[in-house]
Amino acid sequence: MSSASTTTTTQSFVERVQDFVSENKRAIIVGTAAAAIAVGGVVYYASSSRANSDLEKAERRPKDKKKPKKRKSAKDNQPILEEIVPSKVEEEDVVLTAEQIAAMPDKERAEAAASLKTKGNNLYKQRKFAEAVELYTRAIQVASKADPVFYSNRAACYVNMSPPKHELVVHDCDEALKLDSNYVKALNRRAIALEGLERYEESLRDFTAATILDKFQNETAAQSVERVLKKISTHKANEIISSREPRLPSFTFISAYFAAFRPRSLPTLPENPTTGDNTLILALQALEAGDYSHSVVLVNEAVDQGISWGAGEAEALNLRGTFKFLMGDVLGAKADLLQSISLLPSFTQSLVKVASVHMEQGDREKAFECFEEAIRQDPNDADVYYHRGQVLFITNEFEKAAENYQQSMNLDDTFVFSHIQLAVAQYKMGNVANSMATFRRTLTAFPQRSEPPNYYGELLLDQQRFQDAVEKFERAIEIERAKAPPMNVLSLVNKGLALYQWKQDIGAAERCCNEALRIDPECEAAVATIAQLSLQQSNIERAIEMFDRQAELARSEPELINALTYRYASAAQMDFMKNYPDMANQLNQMARTMQM
Ligand SMILES: *[C@@H]1O[C@H](CO)[C@@H](O)[C@H](O)[C@H]1NC(C)=O
């Protein structure tokens, strides 16, 4: 939810975590190995100009010294000059029986197979794919020693048939890769076929392996990784969203949301309150106590039971709509909030919340109309200016945002978030000195609040003033611990992050995040940080677990897609480590040396 109503600095937390750990998704795919290769500038393969045909030349991977070269390769390398007239060749061509083949010496069988392959290649170049298939099949039958190239070339024929025979491509590439797991061309071919079959996870596995084995030299394969990754994560995200029960976000998130509105006194009940009227009061009391799961049940009940007076009903619909909004039901929220306003046109809070709904729907103009209407209804409502500031902030209009925060503070300077957001907006405008001064004043004005030191710490961290940042986070943690539970654990996670950035102390960072999770198991920031730290340490299994958890906690579709992207990229990396342990070790070692 890009809700304008939560504290804006908190919003970007997950993004911030991911930014600092990894520059881009491709780096994630191979962990630190990719970065190491880029830094070291190690080029394993001279970039080879592409052959005019997509088909495998007989001499495959000429620069690969590990593979012993087969003798026949050299001959096949000068393709088929003696076979310019195919019809003549076909006349001479005798199909051998299984017995005849078995009776031939190995050397002769190899030569026969090589010759069949050459003919197949020739037919392939003439785009006679069905006939080429025939010859590769015979080459496979004749050969005494299975050759992956025969399968891969036959697969190339299936690729080019219309429609392409993806299943057969996969089958032949399976065979080729069984014979040579480092056969990059077969990997690419199978990846493309699997994508065509919408078997995206397997396709990603292959594209990933091909990219790494090629030392990131093949830009097309690397782009394919990203394309397939996107398909998987959007696909899975849709599946998850359409099947999951709407539920409330984490305590931390909801309390931040409600904290963005000044507390109001409970509505006065009519003389003879109905059951619904009383239930509404219970719902509001539960809200005040931070018992959100009860509050949501109670307010739903209250509306169903019926509320006897207009202002009360407007209050109930405001609360029910707010919970709907928090659970991602934007349309339901809008309906409730609009009804709330029509019952009580002066209800500025409902107007402000409808503005958030409009922003969520991408309608900025309507959002600002709501703010103007709210100001007409009550020009002295400090909340309205604060929230208008928030909308301006997320659209990067920091100067106007700052004016609105200031206006809100002029009306009521007891609301800590106006001060914090003003400081952050000043920072974003480049007025670092002003911003720091605003923070220092805010620390003095609100000595018992944990938010000023926490967000001040975030800006200090952004300036790489690590020690000062850690001190501020520690102060915030201290204040939170002294309070009645539940504790806001964001400062704990921030401290971990700061220690990591400052001293590369992964252990300390993890301890902070784990403690945060013990206190608040739904703290998305802690989950996201542990996931990234696990990736940093090549503990992919743990990272996947955490990305799964992050996906569970994700509220909006973009957040969900983001978590799933990392999750599936990590899974593909894990597959690679399992399937190519030697290569994975080599890369890991390189990554380690270069980090030192
Ligand atoms: C690069 O990757 C693409 C897509 O996977 C593949 O079709 C192509 O053959 C590869 N190019 C080379 C030179 O290996």
Side-chain angles (χ1 to χ4, degrees):
M1 182 172 355
S2 64
S3 158
S5 305
T6 35
T7 314
T8 318
T9 41
T10 325
Q11 288 274 314
S12 61
F13 191 93
V14 171
E15 259 170 50
R16 207 152 48 78
V17 171
Q18 285 163 352
D19 275 0
F20 94 84
V21 182
S22 64
E23 278 180 31
N24 56 38
K25 288 196 190 79
R26 203 169 306 158
I28 289 296
I29 289 160
V30 289
T32 43
I37 287 174
V39 169
V42 185
V43 181
Y44 288 78
Y45 293 78
S47 63
S48 55
S49 59
R50 276 240 233 141
N52 54 359
S53 155
D54 183 42
L55 191 64
E56 200 68 40
K57 286 288 182 295
E59 195 190 40
R60 172 160 62 82
R61 291 173 292 132
K63 291 163 203 82
D64 191 340
K65 294 194 181 70
K66 274 176 281 174
K67 264 288 198 263
K69 244 175 242 170
K70 287 172 193 131
R71 292 227 114 203
K72 59 184 179 184
S73 301
K75 189 179 143 223
D76 288 356
N77 212 13
Q78 282 95 44
I80 49 182
L81 284 174
E82 71 277 18
E83 294 166 28
I84 285 170
V85 190
S87 57
K88 198 178 162 213
V89 174
E90 274 157 32
E91 277 166 30
E92 292 169 358
D93 208 12
V94 183
V95 181
L96 302 168
T97 65
E99 287 79 32
Q100 285 170 314
I101 292 172
M104 284 161 71
D106 279 359
K107 187 167 173 285
E108 229 172 90
R109 289 177 64 176
E111 279 165 9
S115 155
L116 286 163
K117 184 191 72 176
T118 307
K119 289 168 194 163
N121 289 359
N122 200 30
L123 289 166
Y124 178 94
K125 283 177 194 156
Q126 297 168 43
R127 306 192 62 80
K128 293 181 178 167
F129 301 117
E131 288 149 57
V133 162
E134 202 57 34
L135 287 167
Y136 293 131
T137 305
R138 282 170 56 199
I140 290 166
Q141 287 162 350
V142 167
S144 54
K145 190 170 169 292
D147 186 333
V149 176
F150 300 164
Y151 290 102
S152 182
N153 281 6
R154 190 167 66 178
C157 298
Y158 294 134
V159 168
N160 281 287
M161 291 177 169
S162 53
K165 297 191 189 306
H166 294 312
E167 255 115 12
L168 293 173
V169 175
V170 171
H171 173 268
D172 272 356
C173 292
D174 284 345
E175 293 302 315
L177 288 159
K178 262 186 238 163
L179 296 163
D180 177 3
S181 60
N182 290 315
Y183 195 169
V184 174
K185 210 154 223 181
L187 274 172
N188 273 317
R189 220 162 252 157
R190 188 169 69 181
I192 293 166
L194 288 166
E195 188 181 356
L197 292 167
E198 300 186 4
R199 286 160 64 181
Y200 296 126
E201 279 175 63
E202 293 160 278
S203 172
L204 179 66
R205 172 203 64 199
D206 285 355
F207 276 130
T208 302
T211 307
I212 302 175
L213 289 174
D214 247 354
K215 303 288 194 293
F216 310 95
Q217 301 294 303
N218 186 341
E219 194 46 42
T220 316
Q223 282 166 4
S224 302
V225 167
E226 306 218 352
R227 180 186 62 244
V228 174
L229 199 46
K230 197 170 163 197
K231 280 187 192 171
I232 298 177
S233 35
T234 37
H235 202 83
K236 295 271 173 191
N238 285 336
E239 246 175 56
I240 291 173
I241 285 171
S242 61
S243 69
R244 85 173 164 196
E245 296 284 312
R247 62 184 165 78
L248 284 173
S250 71
F251 176 84
T252 311
F253 186 88
I254 308 177
S255 43
Y257 181 88
F258 281 109
F261 296 91
R262 287 168 177 75
R264 291 172 304 130
S265 46
L266 289 175
T268 326
L269 280 172
E271 259 179 45
N272 297 306
T274 62
T275 315
D277 296 348
N278 286 318
T279 314
L280 170 63
I281 299 300
L282 294 176
L284 290 167
Q285 283 166 341
L287 176 71
E288 225 173 81
D291 188 353
Y292 304 124
S293 53
H294 270 123
S295 183
V296 69
V297 171
L298 287 166
V299 75
N300 286 338
E301 260 177 43
V303 175
D304 291 345
Q305 288 164 348
I307 292 172
S308 69
W309 86 113
E313 196 180 352
E315 192 71 56
L317 287 165
N318 169 302
L319 185 57
R320 192 176 75 171
T322 304
F323 279 124
K324 285 181 180 175
F325 186 65
L326 287 167
M327 288 192 267
D329 174 10
V330 175
L331 292 178
K334 193 176 184 177
D336 278 358
L337 292 167
L338 287 175
Q339 204 185 332
S340 157
I341 295 163
S342 71
L343 285 162
L344 187 61
S346 66
F347 201 169
T348 49
Q349 195 188 90
S350 285
L351 280 163
V352 165
K353 287 174 175 172
V354 173
S356 302
V357 169
H358 287 310
M359 284 308 286
E360 194 75 12
Q361 295 180 315
D363 194 340
R364 191 193 131 95
E365 207 172 313
K366 279 231 174 78
F368 280 93
E369 280 170 19
C370 288
F371 289 124
E372 268 146 41
E373 176 58 23
I375 290 167
R376 260 196 298 280
Q377 293 293 339
D378 182 2
N380 295 321
D381 185 337
D383 275 351
V384 178
Y385 300 99
Y386 171 74
H387 287 278
R388 190 164 66 176
Q390 293 291 77
V391 167
L392 290 161
F393 187 102
I394 58 171
T395 52
N396 295 332
E397 293 164 77
F398 301 119
E399 214 166 319
K400 281 193 193 158
E403 280 167 26
N404 276 271
Y405 298 137
Q406 190 64 63
Q407 208 161 353
S408 179
M409 286 157 63
N410 293 345
L411 288 164
D412 171 13
D413 68 357
T414 63
F415 183 59
V416 70
F417 288 108
S418 304
H419 298 255
I420 292 172
Q421 287 297 120
L422 174 63
V424 178
Q426 287 169 333
Y427 187 76
K428 295 271 188 181
M429 284 154 65
N431 291 338
V432 178
N434 269 353
S435 164
M436 299 295 110
T438 305
F439 257 124
R440 281 191 295 274
R441 275 199 304 278
T442 309
L443 287 178
T444 317
F446 300 88
Q448 294 316 313
R449 299 291 301 243
S450 70
E451 295 89 349
N454 178 65
Y455 293 110
Y456 189 18
E458 287 191 8
L459 295 193
L460 292 168
L461 185 57
D462 192 60
Q463 297 167 70
Q464 313 217 329
R465 291 171 59 184
F466 298 117
Q467 189 159 0
D468 293 340
V470 170
E471 275 169 21
K472 293 292 173 284
F473 294 139
E474 280 173 347
R475 174 73 194 125
I477 294 166
E478 200 182 314
I479 295 170
E480 278 294 320
R481 284 199 209 282
K483 266 181 24 186
M487 177 177 170
N488 183 337
V489 296
L490 201 55
S491 313
L492 258 173
V493 183
N494 270 329
K495 181 184 166 190
L497 204 52
L499 287 173
Y500 177 71
Q501 283 179 272
W502 183 13
K503 301 177 171 172
Q504 282 71 52
D505 190 344
I506 290 191
E510 287 212 340
R511 279 191 294 281
C512 286
C513 292
N514 286 332
E515 191 187 345
L517 276 187
R518 266 197 304 281
I519 298 165
D520 178 4
E522 304 202 320
C523 177
E524 202 191 349
V527 172
T529 307
I530 296 177
Q532 298 290 336
L533 292 173
S534 306
L535 267 192
Q536 271 312 73
Q537 298 168 89
S538 303
N539 186 348
I540 313 293
E541 238 157 302
R542 177 98 191 287
I544 292 176
E545 218 177 280
M546 287 293 134
F547 288 129
D548 277 336
R549 181 78 182 123
Q550 200 184 327
E552 265 172 44
L553 295 173
R555 287 173 304 272
S556 69
E557 192 175 355
E559 283 169 346
L560 180 56
I561 289 175
N562 179 51
L564 290 170
T565 301
Y566 279 96
R567 189 239 177 265
Y568 285 99
S570 305
Q573 190 192 339
M574 196 158 77
D575 282 338
F576 181 79
M577 285 158 59
K578 273 190 196 138
N579 296 334
Y580 300 91
D582 293 346
M583 181 76 170
N585 274 339
Q586 204 182 317
L587 288 174
N588 268 339
Q589 249 155 30
M590 272 170 50
R592 281 207 192 96
T593 344
M594 295 194 176
Q595 271 176 343
M596 292 298 109

